[in-house]
Amino acid sequence: MGKPRLIILIRHAQSEGNKNREIHQTVPDHRVKLTSEGWKQAEAAGLKLRSLLRPDDTLHFFTSPYRRTRETTEGILNALTSSNPAPSPFPRHTIKVYEEPRLREQDFGNFQPGSQEMARMWAERAEYGHFFYRIPNGESAADAYDRVSGFNDTLWRSFGDDDFASVCVLVTHGLMTRVFLMKWYHFSVEYFEDLRNVDHCEFVVMKRSQENQKYILQNELRTWSQMRKERSEPKEPESPIPVRKKWAGFQDGYETEIRRRQTRRQNTADMFADDVNVIQQDDHVDTRGQDAKRGGTTPATDPTDGRHGPSMVSPEFSSRTMSTKHRPSPQRLRVLEEGRDGGGSRSGVSSQCGSEASDEPSRQPVRRSMGMALHGTLEGNSSPHRARADALGDQSDIDDDVAS
């Protein structure tokens, strides 16, 4: 067959040691098993591998003898050879699996010490250098590099076998994956120490080139320097001009638009201001005409006179300064004529009952505005409450009946 078209390195799935580091104080490293989440990750990796393969591919697996890597390989094979959702083109008996001790994890000693001692050890390792620092009673990454170098030589010689598979899968550990790539692609020590670890069940794919038969790495490896650079880069400043939002189709919001459309509400004094001004002028003219007929004098109009009541016209908002929009129309200028019973709109005169000729001379039309009536200033009314009742036309006839 010759060289395989693909070499795929897969890190083992999540193990109990990944969730709880203290387990290494009581359980040997090679006996640490997968978690339930790790089994799911292994089966998902099998489905992913199945999607990368061609129906005519053949497979060789090389796995570390550690329990977590062997269980990961088992989970991958279960999903790869399963008939769900469709029959697999890779029967289990056609796949060769080899345990390779040289792919085992870096030796961190027998039983690891407590968390405080391990924290001191990792800090010392970072200061010394990950590649050359040797774990007490264990080995360094340089030691692992030596045994991986021997495995690479064996693997390369195997490519000459006629029955070697078209796809080679290596199920190993995170550090051993980086050491394998370092040996294969001749990485420097500095670049090795800058590499970050691969994720659980992450695929690192090496594809053979049809031109020069060399293996091209398909992954973009993550580095610590790139991560620090991304974190140190300043974020793009936000726009200083906030974006104005539209609500219900209006630029400044629905409530603002409603306030724009609403007309200014007038208070009671402003509503009757123009009416009072006009009626006062009419009263002044009528009184002057009546006095001229009787030969009397024309009294001066006093805005504070008790008969006419205090002026309700604001100097800032008079009939002259009032806009055309707020100026009342002639139809709105309603007047009240005092009747025989003291009510407005000549309530007593308009009735045919009780209308006597003797009352005619005393019924002089006197115009009063609703605004003055509401302030209790009708002539002859001693009580302001009665003045309001008369103006509204709900004065009772009881007073007249008693008087008669």
Side-chain angles (χ1 to χ4, degrees):
M1 176 64 73
K3 291 182 179 179
R5 70 179 187 90
L6 293 176
I7 299 177
I8 303 176
L9 292 92
I10 304 177
R11 183 191 175 190
H12 64 82
Q14 184 190 66
S15 67
E16 292 180 344
N18 299 126
K19 291 188 63 177
N20 181 16
R21 291 181 177 272
E22 296 181 357
I23 196 175
H24 295 288
Q25 300 177 17
T26 56
V27 179
D29 193 19
H30 64 277
R31 294 181 183 175
V32 176
K33 59 183 179 180
L34 294 182
T35 63
S36 57
E37 179 64 23
W39 279 102
K40 296 179 182 178
Q41 293 175 352
E43 294 177 356
L47 296 176
K48 180 179 179 180
L49 178 61
R50 185 171 175 175
S51 65
L52 295 177
L53 300 178
R54 298 186 306 211
D56 59 340
D57 278 331
T58 57
L59 294 100
H60 280 181
F61 275 78
F62 294 87
T63 178
S64 163
Y66 279 33
R67 180 174 180 176
R68 54 183 177 272
T69 52
R70 289 188 287 113
E71 288 181 349
T72 302
T73 302
E74 182 179 351
I76 292 175
L77 292 175
N78 290 339
L80 180 62
T81 61
S82 174
S83 299
N84 187 19
S88 174
F90 310 104
R92 179 67 182 83
H93 66 277
T94 63
I95 302 175
K96 295 182 179 180
V97 180
Y98 301 93
E99 281 191 13
E100 179 52 66
R102 288 175 291 185
L103 291 179
R104 70 184 185 274
E105 177 65 292
Q106 177 185 1
D107 193 352
F108 292 100
N110 296 323
F111 293 102
Q112 294 183 6
S115 56
Q116 293 183 355
E117 178 61 20
M118 289 300 299
R120 185 203 64 79
M121 187 186 305
W122 296 141
E124 187 178 60
R125 179 193 185 196
E127 182 69 21
Y128 191 89
H130 286 72
F131 187 76
F132 294 107
Y133 182 81
R134 180 173 282 109
I135 305 294
N137 299 322
E139 62 180 355
S140 64
D143 297 331
Y145 179 89
D146 293 339
R147 52 184 168 88
V148 165
S149 298
F151 170 75
N152 283 9
D153 294 339
T154 303
L155 183 64
W156 185 263
R157 290 192 298 267
S158 300
F159 290 166
D161 297 342
D162 295 336
D163 59 346
F164 197 85
S166 62
V167 177
C168 177
V169 181
L170 308 180
V171 183
T172 181
H173 307 266
L175 183 135
M176 298 306 298
T177 299
R178 289 173 285 161
V179 169
F180 181 91
L181 295 176
M182 179 183 181
K183 170 59 179 177
W184 193 282
Y185 291 105
H186 306 286
F187 292 162
S188 64
V189 174
E190 291 76 16
Y191 185 67
F192 168 82
E193 294 187 344
D194 193 30
L195 289 176
R196 296 172 59 189
N197 202 2
V198 296
D199 295 332
H200 296 295
C201 286
E202 181 179 353
F203 283 35
V204 179
V205 181
M206 302 164 57
K207 186 176 182 180
R208 188 187 67 192
S209 173
Q210 297 295 335
E211 298 178 357
N212 53 18
Q213 300 298 309
K214 293 184 178 181
Y215 288 91
I216 301 175
L217 185 62
Q218 304 298 306
N219 301 64
E220 183 177 354
L221 302 179
R222 298 182 297 271
T223 60
W224 294 105
S225 59
Q226 181 64 24
M227 184 186 70
R228 289 190 293 267
K229 180 180 178 181
E230 293 175 354
R231 291 182 177 180
S232 62
E233 290 179 354
K235 297 182 179 180
E236 296 182 1
E238 298 182 358
S239 176
I241 304 177
V243 180
R244 300 177 66 183
K245 296 182 178 180
K246 289 186 178 182
W247 300 94
F250 302 112
Q251 184 69 26
D252 296 328
Y254 178 76
E255 296 182 356
T256 305
E257 183 68 18
I258 292 300
R259 287 195 295 269
R260 288 178 178 176
R261 296 184 180 183
Q262 289 178 342
T263 58
R264 191 178 71 88
R265 183 177 179 181
Q266 295 174 290
N267 53 37
T268 306
D270 293 340
M271 292 175 62
F272 295 104
D274 193 55
D275 192 11
V276 172
N277 187 45
V278 173
I279 299 306
Q280 285 181 346
Q281 294 178 5
D282 294 342
D283 291 344
H284 179 69
V285 173
D286 294 342
T287 305
R288 183 176 56 186
Q290 294 174 7
D291 292 339
K293 292 179 180 180
R294 291 192 297 267
T297 59
T298 302
T301 303
D302 186 1
T304 59
D305 184 37
R307 176 183 177 186
H308 296 281
S311 174
M312 296 176 59
V313 182
S314 172
E316 295 83 4
F317 194 79
S318 63
S319 60
R320 295 182 179 180
T321 61
M322 185 184 299
S323 63
T324 307
K325 179 179 179 181
H326 297 87
R327 186 185 300 275
S329 60
Q331 290 78 2
R332 292 171 57 188
L333 297 178
R334 306 298 300 274
V335 297
L336 302 177
E337 297 183 1
E338 187 177 16
R340 58 181 294 276
D341 54 357
S345 301
R346 302 183 64 187
S347 58
V349 177
S350 60
S351 175
Q352 297 296 331
C353 301
S355 177
E356 300 178 0
S358 59
D359 297 333
E360 290 296 335
S362 62
R363 278 191 233 91
Q364 298 295 336
V366 180
R367 295 181 175 86
R368 291 292 183 269
S369 69
M370 181 67 75
M372 296 178 63
L374 290 175
H375 280 72
T377 58
L378 287 178
E379 183 180 4
N381 294 335
S382 59
S383 172
H385 300 288
R386 179 177 179 182
R388 294 190 181 91
D390 294 348
L392 297 176
D394 51 6
Q395 166 71 14
S396 175
D397 294 336
I398 298 178
D399 295 341
D400 295 332
D401 295 340
V402 174
S404 60

